[in-house]
């Protein structure tokens, strides 16, 4: 569909349901360096569609991260094939901007005639033909739970477990303020449907590879706090990736350690990528310090309390620029400094 035909408004669940019911072949995509919500969302909707008898491919630019391989059905997540897939519908999940799907994944989906865009990022520009963007939802997995249950689609065990992991990982284990009564009600319903809470939480959180702790040790050696105590940051050089044989997902979630420091309002993780670009990951404790706004200044995006950027190096320059931008916002918001 052309740019001008794209609706800036959200589609209704029924309109999305009509596309799902009336087509046969689908490719489901999520963002590069996929996290629990990205993979969980692909499995959740993917297995619901498979249970409806649809032909479904689950493609991710970076494939399945090792820490999500415990999810049943996760072996269905594939790297993008070189030749475009013969599919009618492409569905982007949990992906704030279309380029974040990755070049190879976009090429694989390039024959699709209809694009659905289902996401919870406030910065999502609604790049689909039909869009379902709910920035009040703590995870894309929760939007899919609403969609599947409201449309009365099948919810097989793979989808049930994937939704739980998607929402758990995107809410810091049901802790962030985006977690609502609806989220707990959803979790209760998933447990009633047979989800094994103890096992799934243990698989999600108690299976860290040792190298992840070695990375944490290296990061702690770089920890800094601004003199006012409001910003804590640490830095990962690409050399750590080589020395510790790290996988991209090994750094996922570590930023919560510095976010949890008393007095800190914003935590920042600077990571040097193999291509020389810098990945900046930011977390805020308070909506007055909206890290999505800061990320947007540098072409990134995300949510008010969790956002990210990919920007040019070198790393020292990126750090200076981002920390300055954060302090410009702080000056405007006038936070009370740590005494
Ligand atoms: P994380 O810090 O966990 O990588 O990302 C936090 C949030 O910001 C996620 O919701 C993620 O989708 C978003 N985000 C991270 N990096 C980028 C980026 O480079 N561009 C955009 N638009 N969003 C990002
Ligand atoms: Mn998400």
């Amino acid at each position: 569909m052309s740019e001008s035909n794209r609706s800036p408004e959200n589609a209704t669940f029924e309109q999305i349901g009509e596309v799902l019911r009336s087509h046969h072949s689908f490719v489901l995509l999520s963002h590069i360096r996929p996290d629990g919500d990205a993979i969980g969302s692909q499995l959740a909707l993917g297995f619901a569609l498979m249970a409806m008898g649809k032909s479904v491919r689950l493609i991710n630019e970076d494939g399945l991260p090792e820490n999500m391989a415990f999810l049943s059905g996760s072996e269905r997540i594939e790297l993008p094939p070189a030749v475009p897939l013969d599919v009618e519908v492409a569905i982007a999940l949990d992906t704030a901007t279309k380029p974040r799907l990755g070049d190879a994944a976009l090429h694989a989906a390039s024959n699709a005639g209809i694009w659905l865009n289902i996401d919870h990022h406030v910065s999502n520009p609604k790049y689909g033909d039909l869009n379902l963007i709910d920035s009040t939802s703590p995870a894309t997995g929760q939007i899919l739970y609403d969609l599947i249950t409201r449309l009365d689609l099948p919810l097989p065990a793979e989808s049930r477990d994937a939704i739980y992991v998607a929402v758990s990982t995107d809410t810091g284990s049901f802790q962030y303020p985006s977690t609502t009564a609806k989220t707990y009600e959803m979790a209760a319903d998933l447990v009633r449907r047979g989800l094994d809470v103890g096992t799934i939480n243990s698989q999600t959180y108690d299976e860290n590879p040792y190298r992840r702790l070695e990375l944490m040790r290296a990061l702690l050696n770089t920890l800094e706090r601004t003199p006012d105590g409001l910003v804590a940051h640490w830095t990962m050089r690409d050399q750590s990736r080589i020395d510790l044989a790290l996988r991209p997902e090994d750094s996922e979630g570590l930023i919560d350690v510095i976010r949890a420091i008393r007095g800190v309002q914003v935590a920042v993780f600077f990571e040097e990528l193999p291509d020389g670009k810098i990945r900046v990951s930011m977390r805020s404790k308070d909506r007055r310090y909206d890290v999505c706004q800061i990320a947007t200044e540098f072409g990134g995006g995300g949510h008010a309390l969790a956002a990210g950027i990919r920007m040019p190096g070198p790393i020292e320059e990126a750090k200076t620029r981002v920390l300055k931008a954060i302090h410009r916002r702080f000056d405007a918001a006038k936070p009370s400094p740590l005494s």
Side-chain angles (χ1 to χ4, degrees):
M1 208 175 267
S2 75
E3 199 76 35
S4 58
N5 286 340
R6 274 190 200 137
S7 166
E9 298 305 319
N10 265 334
T12 62
F13 282 3
E14 261 319 313
Q15 287 170 320
I16 301 277
E18 170 60 23
V19 172
L20 300 181
R21 290 193 187 100
S22 64
H23 294 85
H24 178 66
S25 56
F26 298 82
V27 58
L28 275 53
L29 309 161
S30 68
H31 59 80
I32 51 172
R33 285 184 67 145
D35 57 8
D37 194 23
I39 297 296
S41 293
Q42 286 186 276
L43 295 174
L45 186 57
F47 277 82
L49 289 169
M50 285 178 224
M52 294 165 73
K54 309 292 183 182
S55 159
V56 181
R57 298 285 292 265
L58 307 177
I59 304 290
N60 186 279
E61 184 84 3
D62 294 321
L64 176 70
E66 191 187 80
N67 62 348
M68 288 293 135
F70 71 87
L71 279 169
S72 64
S74 60
E75 67 283 353
R76 291 290 306 257
I77 305 277
E78 305 168 65
L79 288 165
V83 179
L85 296 166
D86 188 16
V87 290
E88 296 164 291
V89 183
I91 309 181
L93 297 166
D94 195 44
T95 305
T97 63
K98 207 169 177 183
R100 277 179 57 77
L101 293 167
D103 291 339
L106 281 166
H107 179 65
S110 58
N111 278 343
I114 301 177
W115 275 82
L116 303 185
N117 172 16
I118 304 178
D119 186 26
H120 69 129
H121 292 95
V122 66
S123 55
N124 191 306
K126 299 198 169 134
Y127 52 84
D129 297 314
L130 288 182
N131 300 283
L132 190 55
I133 313 301
D134 179 2
S135 63
T136 69
S137 190
T140 303
Q142 186 175 311
I143 302 175
L144 295 174
Y145 169 83
D146 287 345
L147 183 76
I148 290 168
T149 52
R150 291 258 293 273
L151 293 174
D152 215 11
L153 304 182
L155 189 74
E158 292 90 345
S159 304
R160 177 197 68 202
D161 290 3
I163 289 169
Y164 183 87
V165 169
V167 177
S168 176
T169 53
D170 251 28
T171 55
S173 315
F174 302 93
Q175 291 181 47
Y176 298 158
S178 54
T179 316
T180 65
K182 219 171 124 176
T183 313
Y184 292 111
E185 278 157 11
M186 178 203 76
D189 181 45
L190 296 175
V191 174
R192 256 182 237 111
R193 290 172 187 259
L195 178 120
D196 180 346
V197 172
T199 301
I200 206 147
N201 284 322
S202 159
Q203 288 170 326
T204 309
Y205 298 112
D206 303 341
E207 291 285 338
N208 288 312
Y210 186 70
R211 59 178 191 270
R212 179 165 150 97
L213 277 289
E214 293 181 297
L215 167 61
M216 199 190 293
R217 175 165 53 197
L219 287 169
L220 283 166
N221 279 325
T222 72
L223 175 63
E224 284 180 68
R225 187 170 60 160
T226 53
D228 57 14
L230 294 170
V231 182
H233 55 96
W234 61 16
T235 304
M236 178 182 152
R237 298 272 172 186
D238 192 46
Q239 193 60 41
S240 297
R241 178 183 62 82
I242 298 159
D243 294 345
L244 301 175
L246 297 175
R247 301 171 65 104
E249 67 267 24
D250 290 336
S251 58
E252 189 75 42
L254 292 181
I255 192 172
D256 289 331
V257 173
I258 57 172
R259 177 186 171 275
I261 300 168
R262 181 169 57 209
V264 165
Q265 296 297 343
V266 171
V268 194
F269 187 158
F270 296 97
E271 177 181 343
E272 201 175 31
L273 297 173
D275 64 4
K277 285 213 178 105
I278 310 302
R279 172 178 183 245
V280 184
S281 200
M282 293 186 284
R283 297 291 183 273
S284 167
K285 275 183 188 152
D286 186 325
R287 289 193 164 270
R288 281 176 300 168
Y289 319 122
D290 181 334
V291 286
C292 185
Q293 284 182 8
I294 296 160
T296 309
E297 282 184 36
F298 296 92
H303 316 278
L305 303 185
I309 314 167
R310 255 159 221 255
M311 62 191 290
I315 196 154
E316 290 307 330
E317 210 167 286
K319 283 171 74 168
T320 306
R321 289 176 63 201
V322 171
L323 292 172
K324 265 195 189 146
I326 292 172
H327 274 95
R328 269 201 305 275
R329 295 271 168 186
F330 271 14
D331 290 344
K334 292 209 181 15
S336 43
L338 184 69
S339 50

